[in-house]
Amino acid sequence: NEHVILEEEKVMIFGGTMWSQLFRDPPTLKSSITGYPIYSRDQPITFDMWNTFFTSFKTELERRISMCLPDYKILVLTHYAPTFKDTLAPRYLDKPNNDFYCTEVIKDYPLVSCWAFGHTGWNCDYKENSTRVVSNQYYGKDAKYNSKLIITL
């Protein structure tokens, strides 16, 4: 998790993986691509480790937001999607493994101006309350990648 404050622009950018929150303990956490266990620092990631990574991200984001002045805009950049709403291709809705791609935290951070993410293979650009939710991944024709997208805060 890293952050930068652009004082002249009154913007804080906070970025990190933001591991999604898992609600069930799978037998092993394996890559859907390779089938091999997922590792962190040379050890397989466990259910508890995964959720600890998620909690650590949230704690750090909350700390950084609390340090911002009220007139600052906050941009959050993550790997995992901050909501299930419109962040997955329709064919994946209601699938049992969606918590490996998304987590529902967007409503917890109303001060975030924009939240951009990747990982899902699905692009979006909409407002969730006061937060712009954006993904612009180059991921095949269904993703609707926009090579000219500019995010303005």
Side-chain angles (χ1 to χ4, degrees):
N1 302 325
E2 296 291 333
H3 83 287
V4 64
I5 294 177
L6 307 173
E7 290 183 25
E8 287 184 29
E9 292 82 4
K10 295 185 177 181
V11 170
M12 181 193 69
I13 302 170
F14 182 86
T17 301
M18 189 193 67
W19 295 76
S20 56
Q21 184 176 21
L22 299 182
F23 293 99
R24 66 199 165 8
D25 190 356
T28 56
L29 294 170
K30 292 184 178 180
S31 166
S32 61
I33 296 169
T34 66
Y36 294 114
I38 302 169
Y39 281 80
S40 175
R41 298 190 180 128
D42 297 328
Q43 61 181 335
I45 293 177
T46 66
F47 174 79
D48 290 337
M49 286 171 67
W50 187 291
N51 281 327
T52 297
F53 295 156
F54 168 74
T55 302
S56 296
F57 175 88
K58 283 186 62 169
T59 300
E60 187 62 15
L61 176 57
E62 289 160 10
R63 187 172 82 82
R64 296 298 177 182
I65 288 173
S66 73
M67 295 169 60
C68 280
L69 297 172
D71 59 341
Y72 272 53
K73 298 205 180 275
I74 300 169
L75 169 63
V76 177
L77 307 170
T78 57
H79 181 70
Y80 291 87
T83 179
F84 290 91
K85 180 184 174 192
D86 298 328
T87 59
L88 289 167
R91 68 180 176 269
Y92 294 120
L93 297 178
D94 301 321
K95 297 290 182 188
N97 289 335
N98 285 351
D99 55 346
F100 282 96
Y101 298 90
C102 309
T103 198
E104 198 58 54
V105 296
I106 197 79
K107 292 179 178 118
D108 298 339
Y109 301 101
L111 297 178
V112 171
S113 307
C114 181
W115 197 309
F117 66 93
H119 188 59
T120 65
W122 187 253
N123 294 332
C124 63
D125 189 349
Y126 68 93
K127 283 275 215 178
E128 179 68 30
N129 298 319
S130 60
T131 304
R132 183 176 177 189
V133 179
V134 179
S135 183
N136 190 40
Q137 306 163 67
Y138 186 74
Y139 191 82
K141 64 181 182 209
D142 291 340
K144 298 178 184 168
Y145 171 70
N146 179 353
S147 65
K148 299 188 183 329
L149 178 70
I150 296 174
I151 298 173
T152 305
L153 300 178

